[in-house]
Amino acid sequence: MSTATRAAAASANAEPPAAAAAPHPTSTPSTTAPSTSADAGNGPTRRRAYGWPLRFAVLSLIWGFSFLFIKVGTNGFAPLQVTLGRVGFGAAVLVAMLVVKRQRLPRSARTWGHLTVAAFFLNALPFSLFAYAELTIPSTLAGICNAASPLWGMLLSVVALSEDRPTRRRVAGLGIGFLGVLTVLGAWQGFAGTDLAGTAMALGASLSYAVGWIYVRRTLAGVQHSHLSMSSAQLLLATLQLAVVTPLFTSLPASYPVIPLLAVVALGALGTGFAFLLQYGLVAEIGPTTAQMVTYFIPVIATTAGVALLDEQLSWNTPVGAIIVLAGAALTQSKPRRSTR
């Protein structure tokens, strides 16, 4: 996911890969003008009403398959090269849309400064960590570690955001979520069969997302630029960061195998660029609360894709732990119902 959409769609979540203008949930612009009684029930309105579940499903599939694309990409290229291709192709999609919509990039030096930090924590660092992690761990485990992002977000927001107060429900969700992580890793058997370094990098990537979301909420909430403009700038900055770092730690590929190359293109153009446009539309149409539910489908799809297409082995504790993680994450994001008379 990119910046703002993650911050808007989740105030505590997935981002999941998105960036944006005003990363506060209430600042999400509407995609359509308010309908009147005269046009209620007409064709476009009806298509929107029935069209969002399909786009929601497509977004879930794209982000779920992103972990498979990373694994395939690293079979032919170095992790940093995969990440550079990812942000580069993603930025190309967003900039092309920016030109089509005749919008401009931000001009404020302060905004660009904050976006530089956001690009590091929400794109360059987590994308690189996931790519390195999948050298030694299956894509299924990486997808499940990604689901821990809301847990990190809740834990950090209690410290960094004064408006987020811990409640019994949230604390319970946090404990359940990290119990799920230990279940996935097989803690009772001494983490046997699990590459701890790779798993730590994947969990570090999900932690980086949480740090980035909090930074965006504290520094860019209320900035008067469109989500598309801010996200394009952020991915351009992430591309620049990786373009500087990658040549220092890798050499030019000796060959460009077709399948890994296509995986990197799909990871960037679909999983980073087009996916952001999809989620931006969903957040604007159905609201951040519903749109953030995509987070809970990602590990399911990532696991299914890894087992079915990459022949990755799956022990019983992996899906069980994933369910516990998702349950804990959902509990940290839920709010108690208010009784009404």
Side-chain angles (χ1 to χ4, degrees), residues 21 281 285 308:
E285 182 175 345

Side-chain angles (χ1 to χ4, degrees), residues 263-280:
V264 173
V265 173
L267 181 64
L270 290 178
T272 306
F274 180 66
F276 162 73
L277 297 175
L278 274 180
Q279 189 179 17
Y280 167 60

Side-chain angles (χ1 to χ4, degrees), residues 169-258:
R169 182 186 295 262
R170 286 185 163 188
V171 172
L174 189 63
I176 291 172
F178 283 109
L179 176 63
V181 171
L182 294 176
T183 303
V184 170
L185 300 180
W188 64 91
Q189 54 187 6
F191 306 105
T194 301
D195 184 83
L196 294 182
T199 304
M201 284 189 284
L203 290 173
S206 65
L207 172 60
S208 181
Y209 285 140
V211 173
W213 298 332
I214 291 176
Y215 181 83
V216 167
R217 286 180 63 184
R218 294 181 69 95
T219 61
L220 291 173
V223 174
Q224 297 304 311
H225 293 287
S226 71
H227 292 268
L228 179 59
S229 172
M230 296 285 281
S231 295
S232 299
Q234 180 182 311
L235 280 184
L236 285 172
L237 288 166
T239 302
L240 178 60
Q241 291 170 357
L242 286 160
V244 172
V245 173
T246 301
L248 299 178
F249 297 95
T250 65
S251 56
L252 288 174
S255 62
Y256 293 84
V258 176

Side-chain angles (χ1 to χ4, degrees), residues 4 8-9 22-31 227 279-285 287-288:
H24 193 276
T26 58
S27 65
T28 304
S30 174
T31 54
H227 292 268
Q279 189 179 17
Y280 167 60
L282 285 171
V283 169
E285 182 175 345

Side-chain angles (χ1 to χ4, degrees), residues 139-180:
S139 63
T140 55
L141 180 55
I144 293 171
C145 288
N146 180 74
S149 293
L151 302 176
W152 290 120
M154 182 266 166
L155 181 63
L156 293 178
S157 66
V158 171
V159 178
L161 299 176
S162 58
E163 68 270 21
D164 286 345
R165 299 298 182 184
T167 63
R168 290 181 180 179
R169 182 186 295 262
R170 286 185 163 188
V171 172
L174 189 63
I176 291 172
F178 283 109
L179 176 63

